[in-house]
Amino acid sequence: MSRKDSQFQKKVMSLTYRGKEIFKPLDTGRIDERVSCIREWIANIFFYTKGGTTVMIDAGYNYPRLAEKMEWLDIDPASIRHILLTHQDTDHVGAVERDSDGLFRDATLYLSDVENRYMTGEVRRRVMFHLYKLPMVISDNPRVLLKDGQVLDIGGISIECMLVPGHTWGHMVYLIDDAYLFTGDTIWFGADGGYSFINGLAEDNELAKRSLAALEERLRARKLRPKIITGHTGWTDDLDFAFAHRDKVCNGWKKQKPHDPKAPYDGYDESEDTRERARTVPLAKQDDTLFRKASGR
């Protein structure tokens, strides 16, 4: 998606979703000593750092303030050599598109072999219940194509790749060092727990729900309790909260219930995303007060 197309989507999406409590991105800042986050309108991109190596997770919009916000967190774009893509939607790959600012031209992209079919043009991405075809993503970056269950080692960072089709046909989540799960657009957090991501943006909502249930089973079978970090609605370390409504889909066409008092009216309003806050305010996990009351916890 070109810079012009990104600006157009910003206007349309802002009008479509404002007041519905759908998009609740984290502001720019740090979750902990390993994970940093940058807000690009309604989307988050993440950086995982260990032992002098930083891996980037998703590449956001074709966004004019990315270099500025990376400076807030003291991250040098030239240090980014590896970018994990959960999927190729235009709000997750913009910084590596051909007409972007070129901050990461030499970085290698990692994505599923199934997802890569969108980037080659073999398959076209459709949203709004397949009624609207998104512009094709064009990137010249080298790519590594991944299989479900594949484990990578990048500079001593262990990355397990898990296929979770539904939102897109080849969507992947990444389990890093068994302690952090980056989920892209697999999970949406409401005030009362996690749901399958927004209905109108999925290739197949029923498949997405099955993938979400299977993901939970994989984690519980191995007794893993990672920090679960989403692309648009924050993070939690509570598996019960994250998968509370795995059999339901977030309905993006109406205002959400129960009401989330911390949800922004317009997720595209970045007025509170500032350099000072990025440097001083830790990014708290998703407020699960309503969920705990409802579950008697």
mmCIF file of all heavy atoms in Angstrom, residues 135-175:
data_model
loop_
_atom_site.group_PDB
_atom_site.id
_atom_site.type_symbol
_atom_site.label_atom_id
_atom_site.label_comp_id
_atom_site.label_asym_id
_atom_site.label_seq_id
_atom_site.Cartn_x
_atom_site.Cartn_y
_atom_site.Cartn_z
ATOM 1 N N PRO A 135 -5.107 -3.064 -1.960
ATOM 2 C CA PRO A 135 -3.988 -2.927 -2.904
ATOM 3 C C PRO A 135 -2.921 -3.982 -2.625
ATOM 4 O O PRO A 135 -2.685 -4.363 -1.478
ATOM 5 C CB PRO A 135 -3.457 -1.521 -2.613
ATOM 6 C CG PRO A 135 -4.583 -0.800 -1.953
ATOM 7 C CD PRO A 135 -5.331 -1.831 -1.179
ATOM 8 N N MET A 136 -2.274 -4.437 -3.647
ATOM 9 C CA MET A 136 -1.234 -5.445 -3.498
ATOM 10 C C MET A 136 0.001 -4.850 -2.835
ATOM 11 O O MET A 136 0.379 -3.713 -3.107
ATOM 12 C CB MET A 136 -0.862 -6.019 -4.865
ATOM 13 C CG MET A 136 0.126 -7.167 -4.802
ATOM 14 S SD MET A 136 0.423 -7.847 -6.457
ATOM 15 C CE MET A 136 1.844 -8.896 -6.125
ATOM 16 N N VAL A 137 0.606 -5.618 -1.949
ATOM 17 C CA VAL A 137 1.828 -5.199 -1.266
ATOM 18 C C VAL A 137 3.039 -5.566 -2.127
ATOM 19 O O VAL A 137 3.176 -6.707 -2.555
ATOM 20 C CB VAL A 137 1.940 -5.877 0.108
ATOM 21 C CG1 VAL A 137 3.306 -5.617 0.727
ATOM 22 C CG2 VAL A 137 0.833 -5.391 1.027
ATOM 23 N N ILE A 138 3.916 -4.595 -2.373
ATOM 24 C CA ILE A 138 5.125 -4.839 -3.155
ATOM 25 C C ILE A 138 6.331 -4.496 -2.295
ATOM 26 O O ILE A 138 6.476 -3.372 -1.815
ATOM 27 C CB ILE A 138 5.136 -4.000 -4.443
ATOM 28 C CG1 ILE A 138 3.929 -4.357 -5.318
ATOM 29 C CG2 ILE A 138 6.436 -4.218 -5.206
ATOM 30 C CD1 ILE A 138 3.803 -3.516 -6.570
ATOM 31 N N SER A 139 7.184 -5.487 -2.081
ATOM 32 C CA SER A 139 8.391 -5.300 -1.286
ATOM 33 C C SER A 139 9.558 -5.996 -1.982
ATOM 34 O O SER A 139 9.406 -7.084 -2.545
ATOM 35 C CB SER A 139 8.211 -5.888 0.118
ATOM 36 O OG SER A 139 9.420 -5.860 0.846
ATOM 37 N N ASP A 140 10.733 -5.356 -1.925
ATOM 38 C CA ASP A 140 11.924 -5.924 -2.548
ATOM 39 C C ASP A 140 12.845 -6.599 -1.530
ATOM 40 O O ASP A 140 13.930 -7.059 -1.885
ATOM 41 C CB ASP A 140 12.702 -4.816 -3.272
ATOM 42 C CG ASP A 140 11.875 -4.194 -4.393
ATOM 43 O OD1 ASP A 140 11.244 -4.953 -5.158
ATOM 44 O OD2 ASP A 140 11.852 -2.948 -4.495
ATOM 45 N N ASN A 141 12.424 -6.657 -0.276
ATOM 46 C CA ASN A 141 13.269 -7.265 0.752
ATOM 47 C C ASN A 141 13.424 -8.766 0.537
ATOM 48 O O ASN A 141 12.496 -9.431 0.086
ATOM 49 C CB ASN A 141 12.662 -7.043 2.138
ATOM 50 C CG ASN A 141 12.741 -5.599 2.581
ATOM 51 O OD1 ASN A 141 12.090 -4.736 2.002
ATOM 52 N ND2 ASN A 141 13.520 -5.336 3.608
ATOM 53 N N PRO A 142 14.595 -9.317 0.880
ATOM 54 C CA PRO A 142 14.739 -10.781 0.839
ATOM 55 C C PRO A 142 13.787 -11.423 1.841
ATOM 56 O O PRO A 142 13.448 -10.825 2.869
ATOM 57 C CB PRO A 142 16.204 -10.998 1.228
ATOM 58 C CG PRO A 142 16.602 -9.762 1.972
ATOM 59 C CD PRO A 142 15.820 -8.648 1.352
ATOM 60 N N ARG A 143 13.365 -12.648 1.531
ATOM 61 C CA ARG A 143 12.371 -13.326 2.371
ATOM 62 C C ARG A 143 12.820 -14.726 2.729
ATOM 63 O O ARG A 143 13.459 -15.414 1.932
ATOM 64 C CB ARG A 143 11.024 -13.417 1.640
ATOM 65 C CG ARG A 143 10.463 -12.100 1.191
ATOM 66 C CD ARG A 143 9.222 -12.276 0.335
ATOM 67 N NE ARG A 143 8.988 -11.077 -0.463
ATOM 68 C CZ ARG A 143 8.096 -10.984 -1.412
ATOM 69 N NH1 ARG A 143 7.325 -12.022 -1.714
ATOM 70 N NH2 ARG A 143 7.947 -9.853 -2.091
ATOM 71 N N VAL A 144 12.435 -15.144 3.923
ATOM 72 C CA VAL A 144 12.547 -16.528 4.355
ATOM 73 C C VAL A 144 11.133 -17.031 4.591
ATOM 74 O O VAL A 144 10.382 -16.437 5.369
ATOM 75 C CB VAL A 144 13.391 -16.664 5.642
ATOM 76 C CG1 VAL A 144 13.353 -18.097 6.157
ATOM 77 C CG2 VAL A 144 14.823 -16.211 5.403
ATOM 78 N N LEU A 145 10.761 -18.114 3.899
ATOM 79 C CA LEU A 145 9.404 -18.637 3.994
ATOM 80 C C LEU A 145 9.359 -19.760 5.028
ATOM 81 O O LEU A 145 10.204 -20.650 5.027
ATOM 82 C CB LEU A 145 8.924 -19.124 2.631
ATOM 83 C CG LEU A 145 8.994 -18.075 1.508
ATOM 84 C CD1 LEU A 145 8.361 -18.630 0.238
ATOM 85 C CD2 LEU A 145 8.317 -16.768 1.921
ATOM 86 N N LEU A 146 8.346 -19.703 5.872
ATOM 87 C CA LEU A 146 8.291 -20.542 7.065
ATOM 88 C C LEU A 146 7.163 -21.556 7.015
ATOM 89 O O LEU A 146 6.127 -21.326 6.386
ATOM 90 C CB LEU A 146 8.095 -19.653 8.301
ATOM 91 C CG LEU A 146 9.088 -18.503 8.471
ATOM 92 C CD1 LEU A 146 8.631 -17.575 9.582
ATOM 93 C CD2 LEU A 146 10.488 -19.038 8.741
ATOM 94 N N LYS A 147 7.379 -22.658 7.734
ATOM 95 C CA LYS A 147 6.364 -23.701 7.898
ATOM 96 C C LYS A 147 5.867 -23.705 9.336
ATOM 97 O O LYS A 147 6.574 -23.305 10.268
ATOM 98 C CB LYS A 147 6.954 -25.072 7.569
ATOM 99 C CG LYS A 147 7.480 -25.225 6.154
ATOM 100 C CD LYS A 147 6.361 -25.352 5.147
ATOM 101 C CE LYS A 147 6.903 -25.694 3.758
ATOM 102 N NZ LYS A 147 5.818 -25.788 2.738
ATOM 103 N N ASP A 148 4.659 -24.214 9.525
ATOM 104 C CA ASP A 148 4.111 -24.364 10.869
ATOM 105 C C ASP A 148 5.019 -25.248 11.717
ATOM 106 O O ASP A 148 5.460 -26.319 11.278
ATOM 107 C CB ASP A 148 2.717 -24.988 10.776
ATOM 108 C CG ASP A 148 2.070 -25.161 12.140
ATOM 109 O OD1 ASP A 148 2.238 -24.266 12.986
ATOM 110 O OD2 ASP A 148 1.397 -26.188 12.354
ATOM 111 N N GLY A 149 5.334 -24.776 12.930
ATOM 112 C CA GLY A 149 6.163 -25.548 13.837
ATOM 113 C C GLY A 149 7.654 -25.339 13.671
ATOM 114 O O GLY A 149 8.441 -25.842 14.477
ATOM 115 N N GLN A 150 8.044 -24.597 12.647
ATOM 116 C CA GLN A 150 9.475 -24.352 12.426
ATOM 117 C C GLN A 150 10.041 -23.493 13.560
ATOM 118 O O GLN A 150 9.374 -22.587 14.073
ATOM 119 C CB GLN A 150 9.666 -23.650 11.088
ATOM 120 C CG GLN A 150 11.105 -23.458 10.652
ATOM 121 C CD GLN A 150 11.191 -22.965 9.213
ATOM 122 O OE1 GLN A 150 10.235 -23.022 8.445
ATOM 123 N NE2 GLN A 150 12.365 -22.459 8.835
ATOM 124 N N VAL A 151 11.258 -23.790 13.973
ATOM 125 C CA VAL A 151 11.928 -23.031 15.028
ATOM 126 C C VAL A 151 13.174 -22.375 14.452
ATOM 127 O O VAL A 151 14.024 -23.044 13.844
ATOM 128 C CB VAL A 151 12.292 -23.929 16.220
ATOM 129 C CG1 VAL A 151 13.016 -23.111 17.295
ATOM 130 C CG2 VAL A 151 11.038 -24.569 16.815
ATOM 131 N N LEU A 152 13.288 -21.071 14.653
ATOM 132 C CA LEU A 152 14.434 -20.299 14.196
ATOM 133 C C LEU A 152 15.319 -19.937 15.384
ATOM 134 O O LEU A 152 14.834 -19.802 16.511
ATOM 135 C CB LEU A 152 13.974 -19.001 13.523
ATOM 136 C CG LEU A 152 12.932 -19.082 12.414
ATOM 137 C CD1 LEU A 152 12.490 -17.676 12.031
ATOM 138 C CD2 LEU A 152 13.483 -19.820 11.211
ATOM 139 N N ASP A 153 16.595 -19.762 15.106
ATOM 140 C CA ASP A 153 17.507 -19.183 16.078
ATOM 141 C C ASP A 153 18.157 -17.979 15.425
ATOM 142 O O ASP A 153 18.896 -18.106 14.443
ATOM 143 C CB ASP A 153 18.568 -20.183 16.524
ATOM 144 C CG ASP A 153 19.463 -19.613 17.615
ATOM 145 O OD1 ASP A 153 20.191 -18.639 17.348
ATOM 146 O OD2 ASP A 153 19.427 -20.135 18.747
ATOM 147 N N ILE A 154 17.850 -16.803 15.947
ATOM 148 C CA ILE A 154 18.422 -15.574 15.411
ATOM 149 C C ILE A 154 19.197 -14.900 16.535
ATOM 150 O O ILE A 154 18.618 -14.363 17.478
ATOM 151 C CB ILE A 154 17.330 -14.626 14.873
ATOM 152 C CG1 ILE A 154 16.580 -15.279 13.706
ATOM 153 C CG2 ILE A 154 17.938 -13.295 14.437
ATOM 154 C CD1 ILE A 154 15.438 -14.451 13.165
ATOM 155 N N GLY A 155 20.510 -14.998 16.477
ATOM 156 C CA GLY A 155 21.357 -14.375 17.484
ATOM 157 C C GLY A 155 21.084 -14.857 18.896
ATOM 158 O O GLY A 155 21.162 -14.072 19.849
ATOM 159 N N GLY A 156 20.754 -16.141 19.028
ATOM 160 C CA GLY A 156 20.459 -16.679 20.349
ATOM 161 C C GLY A 156 19.036 -16.485 20.801
ATOM 162 O O GLY A 156 18.663 -16.867 21.924
ATOM 163 N N ILE A 157 18.187 -15.929 19.935
ATOM 164 C CA ILE A 157 16.759 -15.766 20.223
ATOM 165 C C ILE A 157 16.016 -16.930 19.572
ATOM 166 O O ILE A 157 16.118 -17.142 18.359
ATOM 167 C CB ILE A 157 16.236 -14.429 19.667
ATOM 168 C CG1 ILE A 157 16.950 -13.250 20.336
ATOM 169 C CG2 ILE A 157 14.732 -14.314 19.870
ATOM 170 C CD1 ILE A 157 16.638 -11.899 19.703
ATOM 171 N N SER A 158 15.278 -17.689 20.361
ATOM 172 C CA SER A 158 14.507 -18.822 19.842
ATOM 173 C C SER A 158 13.117 -18.352 19.428
ATOM 174 O O SER A 158 12.396 -17.739 20.220
ATOM 175 C CB SER A 158 14.382 -19.907 20.909
ATOM 176 O OG SER A 158 13.552 -20.960 20.467
ATOM 177 N N ILE A 159 12.755 -18.652 18.179
ATOM 178 C CA ILE A 159 11.481 -18.198 17.625
ATOM 179 C C ILE A 159 10.739 -19.397 17.047
ATOM 180 O O ILE A 159 11.183 -20.010 16.078
ATOM 181 C CB ILE A 159 11.705 -17.147 16.520
ATOM 182 C CG1 ILE A 159 12.497 -15.954 17.068
ATOM 183 C CG2 ILE A 159 10.369 -16.698 15.929
ATOM 184 C CD1 ILE A 159 13.080 -15.063 16.001
ATOM 185 N N GLU A 160 9.605 -19.731 17.644
ATOM 186 C CA GLU A 160 8.780 -20.821 17.148
ATOM 187 C C GLU A 160 7.626 -20.241 16.334
ATOM 188 O O GLU A 160 6.925 -19.332 16.790
ATOM 189 C CB GLU A 160 8.242 -21.661 18.294
ATOM 190 C CG GLU A 160 7.446 -22.868 17.835
ATOM 191 C CD GLU A 160 7.045 -23.796 18.963
ATOM 192 O OE1 GLU A 160 7.563 -23.631 20.087
ATOM 193 O OE2 GLU A 160 6.193 -24.687 18.714
ATOM 194 N N CYS A 161 7.442 -20.760 15.140
ATOM 195 C CA CYS A 161 6.458 -20.228 14.197
ATOM 196 C C CYS A 161 5.210 -21.113 14.210
ATOM 197 O O CYS A 161 5.309 -22.318 13.988
ATOM 198 C CB CYS A 161 7.048 -20.196 12.788
ATOM 199 S SG CYS A 161 8.710 -19.471 12.707
ATOM 200 N N MET A 162 4.061 -20.511 14.475
ATOM 201 C CA MET A 162 2.819 -21.267 14.568
ATOM 202 C C MET A 162 1.791 -20.710 13.584
ATOM 203 O O MET A 162 1.458 -19.519 13.633
ATOM 204 C CB MET A 162 2.248 -21.191 15.983
ATOM 205 C CG MET A 162 3.153 -21.749 17.050
ATOM 206 S SD MET A 162 2.375 -21.615 18.693
ATOM 207 C CE MET A 162 3.636 -22.357 19.727
ATOM 208 N N LEU A 163 1.313 -21.559 12.703
ATOM 209 C CA LEU A 163 0.334 -21.151 11.703
ATOM 210 C C LEU A 163 -1.051 -21.081 12.332
ATOM 211 O O LEU A 163 -1.501 -22.029 12.988
ATOM 212 C CB LEU A 163 0.338 -22.142 10.545
ATOM 213 C CG LEU A 163 -0.401 -21.746 9.269
ATOM 214 C CD1 LEU A 163 0.250 -20.531 8.615
ATOM 215 C CD2 LEU A 163 -0.428 -22.925 8.290
ATOM 216 N N VAL A 164 -1.750 -19.948 12.139
ATOM 217 C CA VAL A 164 -3.096 -19.751 12.685
ATOM 218 C C VAL A 164 -3.989 -19.135 11.600
ATOM 219 O O VAL A 164 -4.355 -17.958 11.672
ATOM 220 C CB VAL A 164 -3.079 -18.866 13.948
ATOM 221 C CG1 VAL A 164 -2.581 -19.622 15.156
ATOM 222 C CG2 VAL A 164 -2.221 -17.619 13.733
ATOM 223 N N PRO A 165 -4.339 -19.880 10.574
ATOM 224 C CA PRO A 165 -5.116 -19.314 9.465
ATOM 225 C C PRO A 165 -6.516 -18.903 9.879
ATOM 226 O O PRO A 165 -7.091 -19.443 10.826
ATOM 227 C CB PRO A 165 -5.159 -20.468 8.463
ATOM 228 C CG PRO A 165 -5.027 -21.699 9.295
ATOM 229 C CD PRO A 165 -4.099 -21.327 10.419
ATOM 230 N N GLY A 166 -7.047 -17.931 9.147
ATOM 231 C CA GLY A 166 -8.408 -17.465 9.388
ATOM 232 C C GLY A 166 -8.527 -15.991 9.079
ATOM 233 O O GLY A 166 -9.269 -15.577 8.194
ATOM 234 N N HIS A 167 -7.794 -15.167 9.809
ATOM 235 C CA HIS A 167 -7.770 -13.733 9.481
ATOM 236 C C HIS A 167 -7.209 -13.562 8.073
ATOM 237 O O HIS A 167 -7.785 -12.866 7.235
ATOM 238 C CB HIS A 167 -6.925 -12.987 10.501
ATOM 239 C CG HIS A 167 -6.828 -11.520 10.227
ATOM 240 N ND1 HIS A 167 -7.889 -10.660 10.383
ATOM 241 C CD2 HIS A 167 -5.785 -10.759 9.797
ATOM 242 C CE1 HIS A 167 -7.516 -9.436 10.060
ATOM 243 N NE2 HIS A 167 -6.242 -9.468 9.694
ATOM 244 N N THR A 168 -6.063 -14.181 7.822
ATOM 245 C CA THR A 168 -5.563 -14.397 6.462
ATOM 246 C C THR A 168 -5.262 -15.884 6.337
ATOM 247 O O THR A 168 -5.204 -16.609 7.331
ATOM 248 C CB THR A 168 -4.295 -13.576 6.161
ATOM 249 O OG1 THR A 168 -3.243 -14.004 7.039
ATOM 250 C CG2 THR A 168 -4.539 -12.086 6.336
ATOM 251 N N TRP A 169 -5.026 -16.346 5.124
ATOM 252 C CA TRP A 169 -4.824 -17.784 4.914
ATOM 253 C C TRP A 169 -3.528 -18.284 5.512
ATOM 254 O O TRP A 169 -3.431 -19.452 5.886
ATOM 255 C CB TRP A 169 -4.884 -18.114 3.426
ATOM 256 C CG TRP A 169 -6.209 -17.840 2.795
ATOM 257 C CD1 TRP A 169 -6.451 -17.018 1.737
ATOM 258 C CD2 TRP A 169 -7.484 -18.386 3.168
ATOM 259 N NE1 TRP A 169 -7.792 -16.997 1.437
ATOM 260 C CE2 TRP A 169 -8.451 -17.828 2.293
ATOM 261 C CE3 TRP A 169 -7.912 -19.265 4.161
ATOM 262 C CZ2 TRP A 169 -9.811 -18.143 2.373
ATOM 263 C CZ3 TRP A 169 -9.270 -19.580 4.238
ATOM 264 C CH2 TRP A 169 -10.196 -19.026 3.361
ATOM 265 N N GLY A 170 -2.535 -17.416 5.647
ATOM 266 C CA GLY A 170 -1.237 -17.875 6.129
ATOM 267 C C GLY A 170 -0.746 -17.155 7.368
ATOM 268 O O GLY A 170 0.462 -17.096 7.623
ATOM 269 N N HIS A 171 -1.675 -16.617 8.154
ATOM 270 C CA HIS A 171 -1.301 -15.865 9.356
ATOM 271 C C HIS A 171 -0.474 -16.736 10.301
ATOM 272 O O HIS A 171 -0.790 -17.891 10.548
ATOM 273 C CB HIS A 171 -2.560 -15.384 10.067
ATOM 274 C CG HIS A 171 -2.324 -14.327 11.102
ATOM 275 N ND1 HIS A 171 -1.553 -14.534 12.220
ATOM 276 C CD2 HIS A 171 -2.768 -13.044 11.191
ATOM 277 C CE1 HIS A 171 -1.534 -13.436 12.948
ATOM 278 N NE2 HIS A 171 -2.255 -12.518 12.346
ATOM 279 N N MET A 172 0.610 -16.145 10.832
ATOM 280 C CA MET A 172 1.447 -16.835 11.816
ATOM 281 C C MET A 172 1.536 -16.032 13.103
ATOM 282 O O MET A 172 1.458 -14.794 13.088
ATOM 283 C CB MET A 172 2.868 -17.050 11.288
ATOM 284 C CG MET A 172 3.051 -18.370 10.581
ATOM 285 S SD MET A 172 4.781 -18.780 10.313
ATOM 286 C CE MET A 172 4.587 -20.520 9.877
ATOM 287 N N VAL A 173 1.698 -16.740 14.225
ATOM 288 C CA VAL A 173 2.090 -16.110 15.475
ATOM 289 C C VAL A 173 3.483 -16.616 15.819
ATOM 290 O O VAL A 173 3.910 -17.671 15.346
ATOM 291 C CB VAL A 173 1.091 -16.401 16.610
ATOM 292 C CG1 VAL A 173 -0.302 -15.918 16.234
ATOM 293 C CG2 VAL A 173 1.058 -17.885 16.971
ATOM 294 N N TYR A 174 4.190 -15.842 16.656
ATOM 295 C CA TYR A 174 5.575 -16.164 16.963
ATOM 296 C C TYR A 174 5.763 -16.263 18.469
ATOM 297 O O TYR A 174 5.522 -15.295 19.205
ATOM 298 C CB TYR A 174 6.512 -15.096 16.387
ATOM 299 C CG TYR A 174 6.448 -15.031 14.875
ATOM 300 C CD1 TYR A 174 5.691 -14.060 14.228
ATOM 301 C CD2 TYR A 174 7.119 -15.972 14.104
ATOM 302 C CE1 TYR A 174 5.625 -14.012 12.843
ATOM 303 C CE2 TYR A 174 7.051 -15.933 12.719
ATOM 304 C CZ TYR A 174 6.301 -14.958 12.095
ATOM 305 O OH TYR A 174 6.227 -14.928 10.726
ATOM 306 N N LEU A 175 6.188 -17.440 18.921
ATOM 307 C CA LEU A 175 6.508 -17.684 20.321
ATOM 308 C C LEU A 175 8.010 -17.510 20.489
ATOM 309 O O LEU A 175 8.799 -18.283 19.944
ATOM 310 C CB LEU A 175 6.081 -19.093 20.727
ATOM 311 C CG LEU A 175 6.378 -19.501 22.174
ATOM 312 C CD1 LEU A 175 5.577 -18.649 23.159
ATOM 313 C CD2 LEU A 175 6.065 -20.987 22.379
#
